[in-house]
Amino acid sequence: MNSAQKISISPHVVGRAVGEEFVILDLASGAYFGLDAVGADMWRLIESGKTLAEICDAVERDYDVARDVLEADARALLDDLAARGLIVLE
Amino acid sequence: MTGALTLAPARAQAPLASPPYHTIFFSDGAPAIAFHRAGEAYLLRFPDLADFEVSADGLSATCRPAPHVRDATPEHLYVNQVLPLMRSRRGEAIYHGAAVATPAGALACLGAAGRGKSTLAAAFARAGHAFLADDAVWARPAGGHIEVVPGAPALRLWEDSRAALVPRIAPAAPLHFTSKHRLAAAPRLPHADRPAPLRAIYLLGEGASASVTIARTSAREALLALLAHAFVIDIADRDLVARHFATTARIANAVPCFQLDYPRRYETLEPLIATLEEHASAEGVQR
């Protein structure tokens, strides 16, 4: 995926913040997935239509993390979410 | 709002045209409830006991008992299983468990079959804290909090629990599919007839602990536990499941949840209730 690629939540997926975490429900499979606080922030950014670059910009402002580490972690999370059918890379 | 039940003549359970879209099993692997579609309506089959035809809107049901079922089984199945499922069709959040009303608010207990939910509810009631529900805990947002709506005014206990806790209360007529006793609410076993704000949720452990242990769960753990104990009539209806998920997440965020374990000895119930009363008080439970 490239940094400017559009990302969207799959239509059969819903999520809710619970405490500091986030739980995603795949309505197609009935499976639940959990995200930690950083993952929850990224999910909200995906919901608001941000690209990978924009997600990293926003997270970098809130967390003390090196940009290259952040981008690698964000790519890994997005690839994982896409592989599970929870998001769509357009 | 309650669903309406019509009792139809007994009828043998003929094989159904299509397989169930969902089945709930007993712990021994036998099917407890098979969920079938009947057009846009539902047919809930309790093997060898009764079929319930539930309207698509969840507002009415017709029970057809099996020919040999002549006791209160249809009514019991309706109140404790079918009616909660009908309410779930209408978007209500209902969970397998028990709930009691204490001065601090309602306490709900969830756990697998045999974990002691009903016994704990009976022990609370005997101590003067009316039980709100046994089997099906109906929790709903009400203003800025979550409240528990009273369920049926009856508890089900094994004979050893009845003899230990409420020996003077005679059980109702037995149900032939279970040896658990049904006990109607009584002055010594009071039932709450008004909703009460839900103060805390306790997830009952298996009784391996030598003493009372109470540990706060995360909201995520609470959400997943609630979902695992939910009544949901149509798991294929995505809009309904999404709505139920949202309501349950709201409850998990609003109500503190704890893992509770304690030795399963009757003599420990009285101090356990005192411990839980204190725990659920303003000092014990911080949101």
Side-chain angles (χ1 to χ4, degrees), chain A:
Chain A
M1 66 181 298
N2 65 63
S3 297
Q5 194 165 3
K6 286 205 68 173
I7 309 163
S8 61
I9 307 293
S10 294
H12 53 82
V13 169
V14 292
R16 279 289 185 279
V18 278
E20 298 294 310
E21 302 171 271
F22 201 87
V23 174
I24 299 164
L25 168 58
D26 182 348
L27 294 163
S29 67
Y32 299 102
F33 303 89
L35 295 175
D36 62 12
V38 181
D41 285 348
M42 290 189 182
W43 186 269
R44 293 188 191 94
L45 291 162
I46 296 169
E47 284 180 321
S48 63
K50 303 293 191 214
T51 64
L52 171 61
E54 291 167 334
I55 289 170
C56 290
D57 290 344
V59 174
E60 193 176 21
R61 285 194 290 272
D62 294 334
Y63 294 89
D64 182 18
V65 59
R67 179 75 184 201
D68 58 339
V69 173
L70 172 59
E71 285 203 11
D73 287 351
R75 282 181 189 277
L77 175 64
L78 296 177
D79 284 344
D80 190 25
L81 293 172
R84 295 175 190 277
L86 303 175
I87 62 171
V88 178
L89 306 176
E90 297 170 11

Side-chain angles (χ1 to χ4, degrees), chain B:
Chain B
M1 181 167 58
T2 58
L5 175 67
T6 301
L7 196 59
R11 185 178 68 184
Q13 289 186 324
L16 296 167
S18 59
Y21 64 89
H22 181 51
T23 304
I24 293 176
F25 296 93
F26 291 115
S27 56
D28 66 1
I33 313 175
F35 295 70
H36 295 263
R37 299 200 184 281
E40 293 190 352
Y42 305 94
L43 190 146
L44 309 182
R45 169 157 289 183
F46 296 79
D48 299 325
L49 296 175
D51 286 344
F52 287 83
E53 298 159 10
V54 175
S55 62
D57 59 10
L59 285 172
S60 62
T62 299
C63 173
R64 297 184 185 279
H68 60 282
V69 174
R70 302 188 185 283
D71 57 15
T73 292
E75 179 191 351
H76 174 79
L77 294 176
Y78 177 70
V79 169
N80 289 282
Q81 301 292 333
V82 178
L83 190 53
L85 288 166
M86 291 166 66
R87 286 177 172 143
S88 80
R89 174 65 269 179
R90 307 200 295 272
E92 300 292 353
I94 302 171
Y95 307 94
H96 290 279
V100 297
T102 75
L107 310 183
C109 306
L110 307 183
R115 289 284 171 93
K117 303 181 292 293
S118 299
T119 297
L120 190 55
F124 265 102
R126 187 185 64 165
H129 303 311
F131 71 95
L132 281 151
D134 183 32
D135 267 354
V137 177
W138 179 1
R140 68 182 178 193
H145 66 277
I146 306 298
E147 69 178 15
V148 175
V149 183
L155 282 168
R156 288 199 308 146
L157 294 177
W158 297 110
E159 171 55 22
D160 55 351
S161 292
R162 187 197 70 81
L165 295 173
V166 285
R168 295 183 183 176
I169 297 181
L175 302 171
H176 77 264
F177 72 94
T178 176
S179 51
K180 264 189 165 182
H181 292 302
R182 288 183 305 140
L183 304 176
R188 289 192 187 86
L189 196 64
H191 176 255
D193 59 2
R194 293 182 181 178
L198 181 54
R199 181 64 171 152
I201 299 166
Y202 296 94
L203 309 177
L204 301 194
E206 59 185 6
S209 176
S211 60
V212 176
T213 60
I214 304 173
R216 180 80 183 253
T217 73
S218 68
R220 177 180 59 80
E221 290 168 324
L223 170 60
L224 296 179
L226 285 164
L227 292 169
H229 291 94
F231 285 85
V232 180
I233 194 169
D234 196 340
I235 59 170
D237 184 328
R238 293 182 181 183
D239 289 341
L240 183 69
V241 172
R243 193 151 44 116
H244 184 267
F245 177 71
T247 302
T248 302
R250 184 171 173 183
I251 294 169
N253 275 322
V255 182
C257 181
F258 305 87
Q259 292 282 356
L260 167 67
D261 209 1
Y262 52 95
R264 299 303 197 271
R265 297 194 302 271
Y266 293 114
E267 64 270 23
T268 65
L269 284 172
E270 194 171 323
L272 170 65
I273 286 165
T275 299
L276 291 176
E277 280 184 77
E278 183 179 358
H279 182 259
S281 69
E283 291 77 22
V285 173
Q286 299 294 322
R287 289 168 195 273

